[in-house]
Amino acid sequence: AGGMSRLDHRRELIVTEANAIGTAYLRLDLIPSDDRAEIRHLFRDYLDERLKAYDMLPDMGRAEQGFARANQIQQKIWSEAVRASRADSAAERLLLPAINELIDVTTSRTVALNTSLPSLIFTLLTVVTLLSGLVAGYAMAKRRNRSWLHILVYAGVVSVTLYAVIDLDNPRSGLIRLDSADAALKELRNSLQ
């Protein structure tokens, strides 16, 4: 249950990030056109870096470098937006909160990326799996004939369940993936002009 809720939360954060970037990008129309082109270019670069960093996962070392580059661009976006919106209070009231939301979502996604199954729970799950195998094996040892079908089904079900729990916790490296949610960010990138 915890793995499913973390997976759903990660999907929601991707959609929230796409919405935050899209909203901030649209609100760039409130600033003078001289500044708008440069900040729009920064938005495209920012989104490219975020997408590249997530594509590098589960290699955290390379992904962290990509996130660091994206954060540098994010700071440039903020600085340029503050400078460009000083002349217009409407732009300042609408654009800066949208960019702030973009920054906040980045923090939330970073926390979600680093949140995983607690080691105590993983250890407990492994111990319960091994103990149930021991009890089942002990019960079958008393029988004269062993049912290979029951042995294989039991081993398969326990293995698949353990794998599913681990895979839910690592949605960028196994069979359970966030690719459909990432498509929202890729579609947004394709729409930025």
Side-chain angles (χ1 to χ4, degrees), residues 58-126:
D59 183 354
M60 284 302 288
R62 289 180 51 213
E64 288 294 331
Q65 292 172 355
F67 291 136
R69 286 190 298 272
N71 286 342
Q72 290 172 348
I73 296 170
Q74 190 181 72
Q75 293 306 314
K76 287 180 189 175
I77 289 171
W78 177 258
S79 300
E80 291 298 316
V82 167
R83 185 187 56 74
S85 64
R86 280 199 177 126
D88 186 356
S89 64
E92 191 174 56
R93 283 192 317 267
L94 295 173
L95 176 61
L96 296 183
I99 293 175
N100 189 55
E101 173 68 18
L102 178 150
I103 294 168
D104 291 346
V105 169
T106 302
T107 304
S108 298
R109 282 200 70 190
T110 301
V111 170
L113 177 66
N114 295 319
T115 301
S116 62
L117 187 68
S119 58
L120 175 65
I121 301 299
F122 180 73
T123 302
L124 185 62
L125 184 61
T126 305

Side-chain angles (χ1 to χ4, degrees), residues 7 13 29 38 44-45 55 58 64 71 74 76 97 105 109 119 126 130 139 148-149 154 163-164 171 176 188-189:
L7 181 69
L13 285 174
D29 288 339
E38 180 183 345
R44 288 189 292 274
D45 290 346
D55 285 342
E64 288 294 331
N71 286 342
Q74 190 181 72
K76 287 180 189 175
V105 169
R109 282 200 70 190
S119 58
T126 305
L130 293 173
W148 287 102
L149 177 64
Y154 175 79
Y163 174 79
I176 299 171
L188 174 64
R189 174 54 185 102

